[in-house]
Amino acid sequence: MKSEDTPFEGGPLDGRVLPVLLGMTGHPPKVYRVPVPDAAGGPPTVLVYRRVQRAHGGRFGLHPGWKYTYDPTGRTGGGPRWPWSKPDAGGPPGTPRGPEHGATPGGKPDDADE
């Protein structure tokens, strides 16, 4: 497998350059998750870094490579964004929602459900 030395900015890994495995397209993953074990033996904390372009292309417009920037919110943000999709309600994807966030206003039962 191929890897590429990729710099990290922000968060606990600021200033480090780590080898990151490349995918089938030759690019590193869009989101890089780093699990950090808890000192008390609890569940590990997951640091989330997002892939961004290093800088704009120079004289010839060649792609300069990638870097990772720290995302303190920790949202995964995965999946395609369809034009008909609603914007995120503020919680991370996969967060269970109550009946107040149903398809009908106010969480009331729909006439079609009867």
Side-chain angles (χ1 to χ4, degrees):
M1 301 231 43
K2 262 182 124 173
S3 66
E4 178 180 294
D5 290 337
T6 309
F8 285 77
E9 289 184 353
L13 296 179
D14 189 25
R16 296 190 187 193
V17 178
L18 300 175
V20 176
L21 291 176
L22 303 179
M24 292 183 353
T25 60
H27 298 287
K30 291 182 180 179
V31 179
Y32 193 80
R33 293 173 194 84
V34 181
V36 178
D38 187 54
T45 303
V46 178
L47 304 174
V48 177
Y49 285 84
R50 301 213 179 274
R51 181 185 74 183
V52 294
Q53 199 171 5
R54 275 194 203 172
H56 296 293
R59 181 175 177 180
F60 299 111
L62 298 175
H63 189 274
W66 302 102
K67 66 180 177 181
Y68 283 103
T69 57
Y70 180 63
D71 183 8
T73 62
R75 292 189 193 174
T76 55
R81 296 184 184 263
W82 302 106
W84 54 84
S85 298
K86 293 182 180 177
D88 191 17
T95 304
R97 297 179 183 217
E100 67 274 3
H101 292 95
T104 56
K108 298 175 184 168
D110 192 7
D111 294 339
D113 293 338
E114 297 175 357

